[in-house]
Amino acid sequence: PSSRKIPSRNQTPTSPNPHATTMTSFLSATAAVRSRNGEKCLPIHNSEGGATISVSFDGQNLAIGTGKYPTASYHDDVGIDHGITQAPWERRFSPYEFNGGTTLAISGKDYAVVAADTRLSSGYEILSRNISKLHPLTEKCVLGSAGCKTDVDQLRSVLDIKMKVYAHNHRKPMATPSVAQMLGNTLYYKRFFPYYAFNVLAGVDSEGKGAVYSYDAIGSFERTPFSASGSGQSFLIPLMDNVISHKNRLDEKRDLEAEEVVEIVKDAFITAGERDIYTGDAVEIMIIRSDGIQKELFQLKAD
């Protein structure tokens, strides 16, 4: 012990034991692992290269790079992978669910008709055959919504609260054009995480004329003669262009009575139900006039 030399501050101490553990750089470890390509191993990926480090686990002890246990290389294609030894499986989550359904609204000279089917679906499953997609906001205004049921319910709750606040502050119900603007503002407020709801708004304005408003997902809207939304929209709009807007027709356009429009609505939903599996069971129809709302239920096919 007395003859042991103490290294000076500028000297690097040497170990007499050739098997002593020494510190190695990451690149050296990477090269060592690559040189053992072909060994069985469970790879741990790093962000600085394509190397893998062998990992073994016997149920109690975890060993890294010891070579004690037979393992498989990173490129082992034997057997089923299950996303463990190679590329992991991609898993996705969506906060939205499309529950189907179709809505339609048509305006007249002194009335508005709004209708929606009552089927609630998810994929190829029918969850309910009796869910209303129409929601009266005032005695002269009705909201029709298709899409994600939970988002529709949340939107209805928000609108109901705003309607009550307005009624308490002004001591009168909100006019239909004002409701249309409020709905647009509410949807735009959620533009970064939109309500998955496809809305139409129908009612009569302060002059007693029918009013229908069409919306996109983030609140852009316009007043139109008719509007359709939901899974059967593409089947209803061409028909409404013909019989309501009277586009590309040579015969004279006339004002339709509310009863005639109701029959057109029934035929339209029968047509949509033939091609759209998310539209069916029944169609709920509301006729809105200055003196109130009249309701009607018409049965559709149940398959």
Side-chain angles (χ1 to χ4, degrees):
S2 59
S3 63
R4 182 178 179 181
K5 294 183 179 181
I6 299 176
S8 65
R9 185 170 298 179
N10 297 328
Q11 291 180 340
T12 302
T14 58
S15 174
N17 186 358
H19 300 288
T21 302
T22 59
M23 296 295 293
T24 60
S25 67
F26 177 80
L27 294 179
S28 300
T30 299
V33 171
R34 285 177 175 171
S35 66
R36 296 195 302 270
N37 186 25
E39 287 187 358
K40 301 288 187 180
C41 67
L42 179 67
I44 295 179
H45 298 272
N46 62 77
S47 61
E48 301 183 25
T52 59
I53 302 174
S54 62
V55 177
S56 303
F57 184 66
D58 62 358
Q60 295 180 347
N61 301 315
L62 179 66
I64 301 177
T66 61
K68 182 178 179 181
Y69 301 95
T71 51
S73 70
Y74 172 67
H75 297 288
D76 182 17
D77 295 325
V78 180
I80 302 176
D81 179 64
H82 292 298
I84 299 175
T85 62
Q86 295 186 28
W89 285 354
E90 183 177 3
R91 303 183 185 275
R92 294 184 178 182
F93 166 75
S94 173
Y96 297 121
E97 171 76 14
F98 181 65
N99 298 121
T102 304
T103 65
L104 174 64
I106 302 171
S107 62
K109 59 182 180 180
D110 59 353
Y111 65 88
V113 176
V114 60
D117 72 307
T118 61
R119 177 174 293 181
L120 183 71
S121 306
S122 178
Y124 292 107
E125 297 180 1
I126 297 177
L127 304 180
S128 177
R129 300 182 185 273
N130 190 27
I131 294 295
S132 176
K133 298 179 179 67
L134 303 181
H135 183 67
L137 295 174
T138 68
E139 294 181 354
K140 300 179 181 180
C141 183
V142 176
L143 173 67
S145 303
C148 180
K149 181 63 166 60
T150 53
D151 277 12
V152 170
D153 289 343
Q154 176 66 19
L155 177 61
R156 290 176 177 178
S157 299
V158 171
L159 294 178
D160 286 341
I161 292 172
K162 291 184 177 183
M163 298 293 293
K164 290 179 181 178
V165 171
Y166 182 91
H168 283 299
N169 289 339
H170 299 274
R171 299 188 180 184
K172 66 177 182 179
M174 192 180 296
T176 298
S178 300
V179 175
Q181 183 65 59
M182 181 193 67
L183 175 57
N185 294 345
T186 304
L187 295 174
Y188 186 74
Y189 180 78
K190 288 277 290 181
R191 62 192 179 279
F192 298 114
F193 191 9
Y195 293 112
Y196 195 42
F198 311 107
N199 302 287
V200 297
L201 188 70
V204 292
D205 58 18
S206 57
E207 299 177 357
K209 297 180 180 179
V212 167
Y213 297 88
S214 178
Y215 290 82
D216 69 0
I218 57 173
S220 178
F221 69 99
E222 62 176 340
R223 185 168 177 171
T224 58
F226 71 90
S227 180
S229 69
S231 57
Q233 178 189 46
S234 59
F235 303 109
L236 297 185
I237 287 181
L239 180 60
M240 296 300 108
D241 282 335
N242 182 21
V243 299
I244 300 299
S245 297
H246 225 68
K247 291 182 178 179
N248 300 316
R249 294 183 61 166
L250 300 178
D251 55 325
E252 183 181 358
K253 182 180 179 180
R254 62 183 182 87
D255 293 331
L256 299 176
E257 298 297 329
E259 292 73 21
E260 294 179 278
V261 172
V262 169
E263 294 302 316
I264 291 174
V265 167
K266 293 177 181 178
D267 289 339
F269 272 87
I270 292 174
T271 301
E274 291 294 333
R275 290 288 180 174
D276 179 30
I277 62 173
Y278 301 113
T279 301
D281 295 315
V283 54
E284 184 181 17
I285 305 171
M286 292 189 180
I287 306 170
I288 310 164
R289 293 188 174 93
S290 297
D291 56 354
I293 300 173
Q294 178 184 350
K295 300 180 182 180
E296 182 178 345
L297 190 67
F298 177 71
Q299 296 296 323
L300 301 174
K301 67 176 186 176
D303 59 350

